[in-house]
PDB file of all heavy atoms in Angstrom:
ATOM      1  N   GLN A  48       3.627  13.551   4.912  1.00 96.00           N
ATOM      2  CA  GLN A  48       4.127  14.909   4.949  1.00 96.00           C
ATOM      3  C   GLN A  48       4.619  15.236   6.354  1.00 96.00           C
ATOM      4  O   GLN A  48       4.061  14.774   7.341  1.00 96.00           O
ATOM      5  CB  GLN A  48       3.012  15.907   4.582  1.00 96.00           C
ATOM      6  CG  GLN A  48       2.575  15.828   3.152  1.00 96.00           C
ATOM      7  CD  GLN A  48       1.518  16.854   2.802  1.00 96.00           C
ATOM      8  OE1 GLN A  48       0.496  16.501   2.240  1.00 96.00           O
ATOM      9  NE2 GLN A  48       1.747  18.112   3.113  1.00 96.00           N
ATOM     10  N   ASN A  49       5.627  16.037   6.397  1.00 96.00           N
ATOM     11  CA  ASN A  49       6.015  16.591   7.694  1.00 96.00           C
ATOM     12  C   ASN A  49       6.655  17.946   7.507  1.00 96.00           C
ATOM     13  O   ASN A  49       7.292  18.212   6.485  1.00 96.00           O
ATOM     14  CB  ASN A  49       6.919  15.615   8.465  1.00 96.00           C
ATOM     15  CG  ASN A  49       8.289  15.513   7.861  1.00 96.00           C
ATOM     16  OD1 ASN A  49       9.166  16.338   8.115  1.00 96.00           O
ATOM     17  ND2 ASN A  49       8.494  14.507   7.037  1.00 96.00           N
ATOM     18  N   PRO A  50       6.368  18.818   8.452  1.00 96.00           N
ATOM     19  CA  PRO A  50       5.499  18.585   9.602  1.00 96.00           C
ATOM     20  C   PRO A  50       4.028  18.631   9.204  1.00 96.00           C
ATOM     21  O   PRO A  50       3.696  19.038   8.090  1.00 96.00           O
ATOM     22  CB  PRO A  50       5.850  19.747  10.516  1.00 96.00           C
ATOM     23  CG  PRO A  50       6.184  20.854   9.578  1.00 96.00           C
ATOM     24  CD  PRO A  50       6.910  20.188   8.418  1.00 96.00           C
ATOM     25  N   LEU A  51       3.146  18.218  10.088  1.00 95.00           N
ATOM     26  CA  LEU A  51       1.711  18.316   9.833  1.00 95.00           C
ATOM     27  C   LEU A  51       1.188  19.696  10.224  1.00 95.00           C
ATOM     28  O   LEU A  51       0.177  20.151   9.670  1.00 95.00           O
ATOM     29  CB  LEU A  51       0.950  17.234  10.604  1.00 95.00           C
ATOM     30  CG  LEU A  51       1.301  15.797  10.231  1.00 95.00           C
ATOM     31  CD1 LEU A  51       0.421  14.823  11.020  1.00 95.00           C
ATOM     32  CD2 LEU A  51       1.148  15.559   8.744  1.00 95.00           C
ATOM     33  N   PHE A  52       1.842  20.307  11.162  1.00 95.00           N
ATOM     34  CA  PHE A  52       1.482  21.659  11.586  1.00 95.00           C
ATOM     35  C   PHE A  52       2.758  22.484  11.659  1.00 95.00           C
ATOM     36  O   PHE A  52       3.781  22.021  12.160  1.00 95.00           O
ATOM     37  CB  PHE A  52       0.794  21.646  12.966  1.00 95.00           C
ATOM     38  CG  PHE A  52      -0.478  20.869  12.985  1.00 95.00           C
ATOM     39  CD1 PHE A  52      -0.470  19.527  13.346  1.00 95.00           C
ATOM     40  CD2 PHE A  52      -1.686  21.455  12.652  1.00 95.00           C
ATOM     41  CE1 PHE A  52      -1.649  18.794  13.361  1.00 95.00           C
ATOM     42  CE2 PHE A  52      -2.860  20.744  12.671  1.00 95.00           C
ATOM     43  CZ  PHE A  52      -2.847  19.405  13.023  1.00 95.00           C
ATOM     44  N   LEU A  53       2.667  23.692  11.175  1.00 94.00           N
ATOM     45  CA  LEU A  53       3.842  24.556  11.153  1.00 94.00           C
ATOM     46  C   LEU A  53       3.403  25.988  11.398  1.00 94.00           C
ATOM     47  O   LEU A  53       2.568  26.523  10.653  1.00 94.00           O
ATOM     48  CB  LEU A  53       4.540  24.441   9.799  1.00 94.00           C
ATOM     49  CG  LEU A  53       5.755  25.328   9.549  1.00 94.00           C
ATOM     50  CD1 LEU A  53       6.820  25.107  10.595  1.00 94.00           C
ATOM     51  CD2 LEU A  53       6.304  25.073   8.145  1.00 94.00           C
ATOM     52  N   SER A  54       3.969  26.573  12.424  1.00 94.00           N
ATOM     53  CA  SER A  54       3.707  27.972  12.728  1.00 94.00           C
ATOM     54  C   SER A  54       5.019  28.719  12.593  1.00 94.00           C
ATOM     55  O   SER A  54       6.018  28.316  13.187  1.00 94.00           O
ATOM     56  CB  SER A  54       3.142  28.120  14.140  1.00 94.00           C
ATOM     57  OG  SER A  54       2.876  29.477  14.430  1.00 94.00           O
ATOM     58  N   MET A  55       5.019  29.740  11.786  1.00 91.00           N
ATOM     59  CA  MET A  55       6.266  30.440  11.546  1.00 91.00           C
ATOM     60  C   MET A  55       6.022  31.943  11.469  1.00 91.00           C
ATOM     61  O   MET A  55       4.876  32.398  11.329  1.00 91.00           O
ATOM     62  CB  MET A  55       6.937  29.938  10.271  1.00 91.00           C
ATOM     63  CG  MET A  55       6.073  29.986   9.029  1.00 91.00           C
ATOM     64  SD  MET A  55       6.778  29.078   7.640  1.00 91.00           S
ATOM     65  CE  MET A  55       8.222  30.052   7.265  1.00 91.00           C
ATOM     66  N   GLN A  56       7.103  32.663  11.528  1.00 94.00           N
ATOM     67  CA  GLN A  56       7.007  34.112  11.481  1.00 94.00           C
ATOM     68  C   GLN A  56       7.212  34.598  10.058  1.00 94.00           C
ATOM     69  O   GLN A  56       7.916  33.975   9.252  1.00 94.00           O
ATOM     70  CB  GLN A  56       8.063  34.737  12.391  1.00 94.00           C
ATOM     71  CG  GLN A  56       7.775  34.585  13.871  1.00 94.00           C
ATOM     72  CD  GLN A  56       8.788  35.342  14.706  1.00 94.00           C
ATOM     73  OE1 GLN A  56       9.982  35.259  14.445  1.00 94.00           O
ATOM     74  NE2 GLN A  56       8.313  36.068  15.697  1.00 94.00           N
ATOM     75  N   GLU A  57       6.618  35.731   9.783  1.00 95.00           N
ATOM     76  CA  GLU A  57       6.853  36.362   8.490  1.00 95.00           C
ATOM     77  C   GLU A  57       8.343  36.619   8.309  1.00 95.00           C
ATOM     78  O   GLU A  57       9.063  36.914   9.262  1.00 95.00           O
ATOM     79  CB  GLU A  57       6.086  37.681   8.385  1.00 95.00           C
ATOM     80  CG  GLU A  57       4.612  37.514   8.104  1.00 95.00           C
ATOM     81  CD  GLU A  57       3.937  38.819   7.742  1.00 95.00           C
ATOM     82  OE1 GLU A  57       4.333  39.866   8.286  1.00 95.00           O
ATOM     83  OE2 GLU A  57       3.007  38.795   6.911  1.00 95.00           O
ATOM     84  N   GLY A  58       8.769  36.462   7.076  1.00 95.00           N
ATOM     85  CA  GLY A  58      10.160  36.733   6.752  1.00 95.00           C
ATOM     86  C   GLY A  58      11.087  35.541   6.868  1.00 95.00           C
ATOM     87  O   GLY A  58      12.222  35.588   6.373  1.00 95.00           O
ATOM     88  N   LYS A  59      10.624  34.479   7.515  1.00 95.00           N
ATOM     89  CA  LYS A  59      11.457  33.297   7.709  1.00 95.00           C
ATOM     90  C   LYS A  59      11.305  32.332   6.533  1.00 95.00           C
ATOM     91  O   LYS A  59      10.352  32.389   5.760  1.00 95.00           O
ATOM     92  CB  LYS A  59      11.072  32.577   9.001  1.00 95.00           C
ATOM     93  CG  LYS A  59      11.221  33.421  10.247  1.00 95.00           C
ATOM     94  CD  LYS A  59      12.676  33.727  10.540  1.00 95.00           C
ATOM     95  CE  LYS A  59      12.823  34.429  11.890  1.00 95.00           C
ATOM     96  NZ  LYS A  59      14.214  34.768  12.204  1.00 95.00           N
TER      97      LYS A  59
END
Side-chain angles (χ1 to χ4, degrees):
Chain A
Q48 292 182 231
N49 71 83
L51 298 183
F52 299 93
L53 177 57
S54 181
M55 54 192 293
Q56 288 186 315
E57 282 191 326
K59 300 292 187 181

